[in-house]
Each structure stands twice: as structure tokens, then as C-alpha cells.
Amino acid sequence: MVRKSFRLLAGAGTAAASVAGCSSPQAEQKPNIVFFFADDIGVECFGCYGGAEYQTPNIDALASEGIQYMNMNAQPLSSPSRVQLLTGQYNDRNYSAFGYINDDEHNFAELAHSAGYNTAIVGKWQLGRDRKMISRMGFDESYCSQVELYRETRSATQTDRYANSIWDINGKSYDFALYGPDSMQDFAFDYIDRQTAAGQPFLLYYTEPLVHTPHVTTPDCEEWDLDYGSRFTAAQDTSNFRAMVAYMDKQVGEMVGYLKDKGLWDNTIFIFCSDNGTSTRIVSRQQDGRRERGGKGEANYFGTHVPLIICWGDKVQPRQVEHLVDLTDFLPTFADAMGVKVPEDWTLDGVSLYPEICGEEPSEKPLVLIHFNPLWPTTPSPKASRYAMNDTYAYFWDGRIYNYREDPRFTSPIMYDDASDELKSAVAALKARVEDRSAGYAYGTGFYPDAPGAPRRGDYKTFYDWAPPQNPF
């Protein structure tokens, strides 16, 4: 397999060289980057976003000292979000199937590596059943679940990510974890220590498995010691979700505390985000008395609206911002922070957040595209949809329009043909992007649910290829 050509252009990124309040990374020590990516949790679960069901003191504290984004959107499911995040592209360009990414896709690890950073991914992988592909994509180190072992490690006394789990170390060896999130944290802290001792800037992609199902106890639960069975899949219970949120929040606090104790906080861009909305099994009380059900897998605002908080020591002015943001924005942000330009032959859909981090006006992002076609190998997704959002409206591939500020669950559509001229004008750019077929690989006749994905170029499989695929690739 031949990787697409990579050309690193000399000089700092346009934002990195010019914005007030942030010196060029080439003129001083380059900032470390820690991207803490939680799993399956939407904004309604956090006190800083109006939640009242769970204790999230560490994440709430982050919001008070960083930039809290109030309109951050992921994709409604994990794999589509992770492909989008790594590549800086919407899923209509390069998404092949659930649990898969072509390993010749340009991505932020490759860019960081070329910029002189050491790179690591710690946590959930789930993008291809191949122990060597993570290093091929630019990660120097990895400590991950769901690399080659997945279904093989689940039983009445094992899980694939929590209690009694098996973790892949750099594609070369395996580690048994009494509790996966603890072991991956230990690896991350050791990684940080080693890079710091070497004077090496690093990018740590920390893909926290919490709070994904199974909803099981954590080491902080009394039942962890009293009921050994409560640690495993057979004992999953949504009542354990509360403990999982608390443990995830604790791990955020421990990571922040570690960076501060090591004297790294002031030179580390720390990002907290999530990959999609909360499980639909979970209903969470809000500070205004509402009770909101999670939207994971749903093509609506509860499926995509996730937290985003960015801190950088004392370089960030704490504030809330309301403009659109999505996962495609991180690759260009990292480029500017690291002081490199994204090569001209890379296609990107995101805009850099770096100017805003440094106190300048944010780059304009006119819309977000939700190209949600998960392509499960076993069954088509009944929720597959393609739509674009601006600050107020969502326009769908079949002509539905929603005001998501007033109707976040998308229950009361206005059809485009019945819309006023004013509303048609308001969604004109959204309609154009949704109907744009130039980036698509299977949409010559327009989008339709479960259309084939981008061709697979790798000789590896997903964890779901044990069943006959719904679509041949």
C-alpha cells in the first residue's frame, strides 16, 4: 500500500504566526497537545452545560478556566466521529464502514509527527483490525483496546474495555488490565514523563472508553468489592451510569492535576470533547427541571451536541462562545498550534480555532455537515441521514427543515417546498452543501440511506466483518 504523498510546507500556519497573545510555536517552546475524547456523553450530562443529574466538578472547573463551546457538534456515532476527527474531513469524503478507516488517509498524527512532535494514542481505537496500522498512520506509541482483540475478550468474567480487559501495547505485546481506564491512564502518565524528560513536544490523543456501554461498576463503587459479577457485561445496569460519569470526570481531574504538578499545564493545550450524544437508555435531569433522554445514534441535535472545552494555562481568556464548531476543526487547529501549514494537497473541511484560543476573532464557519451513514455490516441503519446546520436551522437531504434551537429532537419539520421565501433563503447554503455531490463517492444519484461507503483500500477488516456485510465494498 502506498501512502498519499505528503508535502510539509515551510513556515508557521497563518494563524500561528500572526495572532496577538500567542507567539509563533517556532519562536519558543512548542505547546503540548492533550485531546481528551470521552465516549457516548452529550452536553446534558454536565453541570456547566445545565445538567443536574451527575457530579462533574472537574469538567465544570475546566469550563470556568477555558473556552466553553456551546454549539459543538460531532457525528451521532463513534466511528464516523473518529474518522472525521482524525482526517479533518466530513464523512462524505472518506467514510467506508463502521469500525474502519483507510490507513492512507492524511490525519493529525501524521501532521504532528512531521512537525517534530512525538505522538501517542491511548484508549479506544475501533478503526481497523490491524495491529500495525496505528503506527502507519503516524502514532509513535499506542496503548489501545479494540485493535485486534474485541469479541474474543468478552465473557462472563471479562470485558473488552473495563474490568479484566486486554490492551494492545504498540502493536507488539498485550497487557492485562484489572480496570482498563486505570491502566491506560498509567500508560499515559508514563508517556508524558518520558517525553518531558526528553524535552520532546507531544500530542496525546486520549480516547477515554467511559462512559460507553456496558454500564458496569467502577473501582470507586462499593459493589466493585462486594459483587464481583457487577464488574462485567452480564451485570450492565443504567444505574451504574452515574458512577461511570463520576469516574470519567475524576480521570479528567487527574490528568489536569498531573500536567499541573509536572509544570506542563501552562504549555499544554488541553481539549475535552466527546464523540457523540448519550445513550438513549439514559435520561438525565436538568437544572431547569427538564428530563432529557440521550440521543446517541439519532439524527438530531441530541445525537450530535457534545461538550467542548479548551484550556491553555493562563493564555486563554475564560468565556463561553456560541458559534458552530465540529470535529473537522481540530486538524487545522493543531497545525497552527504546532507551527506548520497543512499541505496544499490535503483536502480539509474544518477551520482553525487557534486564533480564537489566542484571543482573536474566530474564523467563520458557515455550516456543519452531518453525513450520518454508519454502514453497519449486518443491517442498514434506519436513522441514516444527511443534513447541514447553521446557527439556527438544519436542512435534510429529503427537504425537511428544522429550527433546532426550538426543536432539538427534530419532531416538527417544515418541508422545503412549503417554506417561505425567507426560510428558503436562510437554508440556501445548507441545501447547496447537502446536495453537493462533488465530494461523494456513491451519490451520483443523490444521497440515500445506507448507500455504499468509500472504497476500502486496506487489506484489514473491522470487528464486525464476522457477519455478511450489508453492502459489498
Side-chain angles (χ1 to χ4, degrees):
M1 184 182 304
V2 178
R3 174 173 290 279
K4 299 174 185 175
S5 62
F6 175 85
R7 294 184 293 111
L8 177 63
L9 305 186
T14 55
S18 62
V19 294
C22 294
S23 301
S24 166
Q26 294 181 334
E28 60 178 26
Q29 184 182 6
K30 292 186 176 184
N32 305 308
I33 299 172
V34 176
F35 192 100
F36 194 109
F37 203 34
D39 202 332
D40 284 8
I41 189 162
V43 297
E44 77 279 2
C45 295
F46 299 93
C48 56
Y49 283 95
E53 188 77 22
Y54 316 105
Q55 295 297 313
T56 55
N58 294 297
I59 294 163
D60 296 345
L62 274 185
S64 70
E65 59 179 296
I67 305 175
Q68 181 182 5
Y69 289 84
M70 308 305 290
N71 197 4
M72 167 67 192
N73 288 270
Q75 296 295 296
L77 278 178
S78 175
S79 283
S81 284
R82 291 161 198 271
V83 172
Q84 187 181 105
L85 170 63
L86 280 165
T87 65
Q89 296 181 359
Y90 289 128
N91 292 138
D92 64 338
R93 299 191 190 277
N94 60 11
Y95 184 77
S96 295
F98 195 89
Y100 183 94
I101 187 174
N102 285 307
D103 64 2
D104 59 354
E105 290 288 346
H106 294 310
N107 65 85
F108 67 66
E110 178 188 1
L111 185 67
H113 197 248
S114 71
Y117 277 64
N118 194 278
T119 57
I121 175 172
V122 177
K124 175 179 175 179
W125 175 240
Q126 196 199 55
L127 290 177
R129 197 175 181 119
D130 184 334
R131 301 186 72 195
K132 304 301 181 184
M133 70 179 297
I134 298 177
S135 62
R136 289 199 301 269
M137 295 187 71
F139 289 102
D140 294 301
E141 297 194 34
S142 60
Y143 184 91
C144 292
S145 65
Q146 299 184 26
V147 180
E148 189 171 70
L149 301 177
Y150 179 50
R151 296 174 68 240
E152 299 86 348
T153 62
R154 291 186 291 181
S155 71
T157 57
Q158 293 182 175
T159 64
D160 56 45
R161 68 199 80 187
Y162 297 131
N164 293 16
S165 51
I166 303 296
W167 293 71
D168 190 291
I169 308 174
N170 296 324
K172 298 177 180 179
S173 60
Y174 291 105
D175 187 34
F176 170 81
L178 182 64
Y179 188 64
D182 285 347
S183 292
M184 58 178 274
Q185 184 188 68
D186 290 342
F187 185 92
F189 289 169
D190 178 69
Y191 170 79
I192 291 170
D193 286 347
R194 287 186 281 108
Q195 304 315 309
T196 302
Q200 174 71 49
F202 61 85
L203 185 153
L204 173 60
Y205 180 30
Y206 194 92
T207 62
E208 170 73 83
L210 293 161
V211 292
H212 196 288
T213 54
H215 295 141
V216 289
T217 56
T218 75
D220 286 349
C221 295
E222 183 179 7
E223 294 84 358
W224 179 267
D225 293 323
L226 296 179
D227 181 9
Y228 189 75
S230 73
R231 306 179 189 185
F232 304 106
T233 303
Q236 63 181 295
D237 184 341
T238 55
S239 65
N240 294 320
F241 184 78
R242 186 182 308 277
M244 296 174 78
V245 173
Y247 210 89
M248 182 268 293
D249 180 80
K250 184 179 80 167
Q251 289 208 312
V252 170
E254 289 172 343
M255 175 64 76
V256 171
Y258 199 82
L259 293 168
K260 290 181 177 179
D261 290 345
K262 296 293 181 177
L264 300 173
W265 182 248
D266 289 339
N267 195 45
T268 299
I269 299 174
F270 184 88
I271 301 168
F272 175 77
C273 190
S274 173
D275 64 348
N276 50 249
T278 316
S279 168
T280 54
R281 303 176 189 179
I282 303 300
V283 179
S284 304
R285 180 171 51 89
Q286 304 300 288
Q287 293 169 14
D288 62 7
R290 292 177 295 116
R291 298 187 67 82
E292 297 290 3
R293 182 174 295 278
K296 176 183 177 179
E298 303 282 343
N300 63 35
Y301 197 45
F302 276 87
T304 66
H305 190 199
V306 296
L308 172 60
I309 301 167
I310 300 179
C311 296
W312 188 3
D314 60 1
K315 295 181 176 65
V316 169
Q317 176 188 355
R319 62 198 185 276
Q320 292 182 350
V321 295
E322 299 286 345
H323 62 80
L324 284 169
V325 192
D326 69 30
L327 294 171
T328 65
D329 298 331
F330 291 110
L331 191 151
T333 301
F334 295 165
D336 279 344
M338 295 182 296
V340 295
K341 287 186 177 180
V342 178
E344 292 179 350
D345 59 346
W346 289 27
T347 299
L348 294 183
D349 290 306
V351 300
S352 175
L353 303 178
Y354 191 75
E356 183 170 55
I357 294 171
C358 294
E360 294 294 299
E361 289 296 316
S363 303
E364 181 180 358
K365 189 176 188 72
L367 59 84
V368 163
L369 179 69
I370 308 297
H371 180 88
F372 179 51
N373 203 24
L375 295 169
W376 293 94
T378 53
T379 57
S381 171
K383 304 294 178 65
S385 292
R386 177 176 165 95
Y387 61 97
M389 304 164 60
N390 58 23
D391 286 335
T392 305
Y393 296 105
Y395 176 86
F396 276 68
W397 64 285
D398 54 4
R400 289 173 287 149
I401 302 171
Y402 299 93
N403 182 328
Y404 68 86
R405 300 290 191 178
E406 299 176 357
D407 182 19
R409 296 198 183 273
F410 296 177
T411 60
S412 302
I414 298 173
M415 299 306 296
Y416 181 82
D417 290 344
D418 299 327
S420 67
D421 290 341
E422 181 180 14
L423 181 54
K424 287 181 178 179
S425 178
V427 300
L430 306 182
K431 185 173 185 292
R433 182 62 180 92
V434 168
E435 295 176 354
D436 180 9
R437 301 172 190 172
S438 62
Y441 32 77
Y443 306 107
T445 58
F447 175 84
Y448 58 95
D450 226 53
R456 297 191 191 186
R457 296 187 294 272
D459 58 359
Y460 46 89
K461 297 182 178 181
T462 80
F463 292 119
Y464 311 94
D465 286 340
W466 52 272
Q470 174 66 24
N471 294 307
F473 298 105

